[in-house]
Amino acid sequence: MFFADILETEGLGNRSYLAGGARAAVVVDPPRDIDRVIAAAARRGVRIAAVAETHVHNDYVTGGLELARLTGAHYLVPSGASVAYARVAVADGDAEEIDEGLVLRAVATPGHTPHHTSYVLEEDGRPVAAFTGGSLLIGSVGRPDLVEPRLTERLARAQHASAHRLAAELADDVAVMPTHGFGSFCSASQADGDHSTIGTEKSSNPALLQDVETFVEELLAGLDDVPAYYAHMGPANAAGPVPVDLTAPERADAGEIARRLAAGEWVVDLRNRVAFSEGHVAGSFNFEVEGQLATYLAWMMPWGKPVTLLAETAEDVTRAQRELARVGIDRPAAAAVGSPADWTGNGAPLASFPRATFADLAAARGRGEQLVVLDVRRDGERFQGWIEGSVHIPIHLVHQRLDEVPAGTVWVHCAGGMRAAIAASVLDASGRDVVAVDDGYAEAADAGLTLVTPAQH
């Protein structure tokens, strides 16, 4: 009897899989931190016989090459991918025996990338699971615009054809097990559930319900911003990532933190946004370790700039370091644990700023206060509607466009509070008076704020 275990990488919105039988297994699209994959295989008591990549990933650094090296597994990479290391180049129809009665068959599914390949696990000749990577996702498909703008429409059409091929060749009860779609920006839209089958996708996935022209038009119209760090992931994966180093970074005292800030380096406070707003090292930025740390820090930070991590505990530093390594930020320059008082020294005053709700914002406007409302949601979110009179700068561009924020106290909001806290910390570090709106956007209308929709604009 086969098994297929899900290995979540929640911070990036991706999944990897360990699938196999009684003695051996395959790992599909492994994360950079392969120690947890090896531990999962040990819990199952299986040998890793193969490591399979569905494509050269654009959103994270793979651990596949190192995992195959350490375990002696066959490293399966689509033959159309241009890579600089030895691997088993798989083409459409190729099969790899995983365990007795278990075979992994490659199915060419271009669209997310030109070389994208899905893998169908067959038990005694019967397909039981399809590892679809960035092809057929739960209720969606992988976005086709991450490779090259000239290829985007062609790849969108290929996505439609690939989804239909999987639906035509596989029975309705075959499990659909994608890599993307659980928060990853590699997905055209996000999954509506955790599990699916070919039959479910036939009844709900636009790629399988729409004609190709409608599908392509709507897919391309709905594409959102691409994280800037994606530009570095594909080349790193094609070259062959170096083994990850998760040893503890150098510890920084207050003097070193001050020196790094003075040098223009990034000092990142990992504490929750409430604690940060109440008191923090002036000039530091707030990226919660509980939030989408890797995505937003890697997106906003100039690539290659040294980063120092501040946290309440060593465990938080370790967790952050692991998440950042997954996107190629391998070694923090330094780290410090404790509290802001430990990180400033000599009794230096802490910086702080207020938090508020949308009701507070409405009340401030009602009193006639001179203020700026800054919306840091993404373009796709903004398009659904916005607060009348607000200024829009997506979160990942705030640090580059500070001069576009009008004079006055800046009330910054997003959809829930996390991104607003990041933006508030950036504005605060630049010397602006700021209020972080820590509230759900759905509360804005109930608070009495006037909302504008595209139809009204």
Side-chain angles (χ1 to χ4, degrees), residues 145-162:
D145 62 327
L146 301 180
V147 177
E148 162 58 47
R150 293 172 298 173
L151 300 179
T152 297
E153 182 175 347
R154 187 190 317 169
L155 290 177
R157 293 179 181 278
Q159 277 290 50
H160 187 269
S162 292

Side-chain angles (χ1 to χ4, degrees), residues 36 47 63 123 236 247 261 323 386:
R36 59 196 182 106
R47 174 178 61 88
E123 185 176 47
T247 57
L261 281 168
E323 290 200 23
W386 58 88

Side-chain angles (χ1 to χ4, degrees), residues 118-133:
S118 298
Y119 297 93
V120 175
L121 186 66
E122 298 177 347
E123 185 176 47
D124 298 327
R126 182 178 71 87
V128 291
F131 301 101
T132 55

Side-chain angles (χ1 to χ4, degrees), residues 22-190:
R23 293 180 297 278
V26 59
V27 179
V28 180
D29 288 344
R32 181 83 180 282
D33 47 329
I34 58 174
D35 55 336
R36 59 196 182 106
V37 180
I38 293 171
R43 287 192 295 271
R44 277 284 185 179
V46 294
R47 174 178 61 88
I48 297 176
V51 177
E53 304 280 11
T54 57
H55 59 295
V56 174
H57 301 284
N58 287 294
D59 63 329
Y60 70 93
V61 179
T62 180
L65 182 62
E66 180 67 2
L67 182 60
R69 186 186 71 81
L70 288 177
T71 61
H74 288 176
Y75 191 28
L76 313 181
V77 178
S79 58
S82 178
V83 297
Y85 44 81
R87 89 287 198 196
V88 178
V90 294
D92 187 50
D94 286 351
E96 178 83 11
E97 184 177 2
I98 303 302
D99 202 348
E100 185 177 354
L102 281 180
V103 171
L104 194 71
R105 178 169 56 85
V107 180
T109 49
H112 186 47
T113 66
H115 61 263
H116 191 282
T117 299
S118 298
Y119 297 93
V120 175
L121 186 66
E122 298 177 347
E123 185 176 47
D124 298 327
R126 182 178 71 87
V128 291
F131 301 101
T132 55
S135 183
L136 183 67
L137 310 185
I138 298 178
S140 186
V141 295
R143 56 193 300 170
D145 62 327
L146 301 180
V147 177
E148 162 58 47
R150 293 172 298 173
L151 300 179
T152 297
E153 182 175 347
R154 187 190 317 169
L155 290 177
R157 293 179 181 278
Q159 277 290 50
H160 187 269
S162 292
H164 279 262
R165 179 184 179 185
L166 291 170
E169 294 185 4
L170 300 176
D172 284 357
D173 63 349
V174 173
V176 174
M177 309 191 84
T179 301
H180 303 314
F182 309 96
S184 168
F185 283 86
C186 270
S187 174
S189 61
Q190 299 311 311

